[in-house]
Amino acid sequence: MKQKERELENNVYFWQKLDTLYLSSQFYLDRPLGTAHREFTNLVYPVDYGYLKDTFSDDMAPIYCYMGTAKEKDIKAIIVSADILKKDCVAKLLIGCTEDETKLILKFINSTEFQKAILIRRGNETPVWASSE
């Protein structure tokens, strides 16, 4: 992958903005670990699930998050899912998730035929346009 493509796809400034949103908000626990999904009761949340109060995504819903058990509660990745029943595409934060929890979350989201997701891991590339040369 070319440097220019990497800096546009996964640069450090994007993740800093997510950190700011997270650190300036309060996490509200909506569905604790082990809770069954409201519509698909055979699906059980593998980690705590909730949202950041006083935040908004493009449909005016809050920013949703999976909260893992790692000691450091930082954003490790985001999941972007496409749902053909809801006819939407949504990004959700993975906060403090271990590698095993991340895999369980991906399995959870991808376990129905109606919804599929991809994982975008945190990047640390500084874009060329940000250098002070």
Side-chain angles (χ1 to χ4, degrees):
M1 184 180 298
K2 297 177 189 172
Q3 171 65 26
K4 202 162 223 26
E5 291 171 350
R6 280 198 314 270
E7 72 187 40
L8 294 175
E9 287 183 5
N10 203 350
N11 77 64
V12 67
Y13 297 113
F14 169 78
W15 296 98
Q16 287 176 344
K17 299 303 179 220
L18 285 181
D19 289 339
T20 301
L21 285 170
Y22 169 54
L23 294 171
S24 64
S25 303
Q26 182 182 359
F27 176 74
Y28 175 80
L29 177 61
D30 189 33
R31 297 172 197 136
L33 162 73
T35 303
H37 189 279
R38 292 178 182 150
E39 293 177 51
F40 303 100
T41 55
N42 59 321
L43 299 177
V44 176
Y45 285 88
V47 297
D48 289 341
Y49 180 77
Y51 59 88
L52 299 178
K53 289 185 177 182
D54 301 320
T55 62
F56 301 96
S57 59
D58 64 341
D59 65 353
M60 298 309 289
I63 297 172
Y64 291 100
C65 310
Y66 291 94
M67 185 68 71
T69 60
K71 197 174 220 178
E72 295 90 24
K73 297 296 183 196
D74 53 348
I75 301 170
K76 300 277 188 187
I78 60 174
I79 285 189
V80 179
S81 62
D83 188 321
I84 60 172
L85 289 181
K86 291 181 182 177
K87 293 188 175 184
D88 71 0
C89 183
V90 179
K92 298 176 183 180
L93 309 180
L94 274 65
I95 302 169
C97 294
T98 66
E99 188 60 30
D100 287 342
E101 289 170 334
T102 298
K103 289 176 185 175
L104 289 171
I105 294 165
L106 277 170
K107 184 178 178 183
F108 172 76
I109 293 177
N110 285 306
S111 63
T112 74
E113 62 187 278
F114 307 109
Q115 178 177 254
K116 297 299 175 195
I118 60 167
L119 178 73
I120 303 171
R121 294 185 186 276
R122 187 178 191 114
N124 60 2
E125 298 286 326
T126 302
V128 173
W129 52 261
S131 66
S132 59
E133 296 180 306

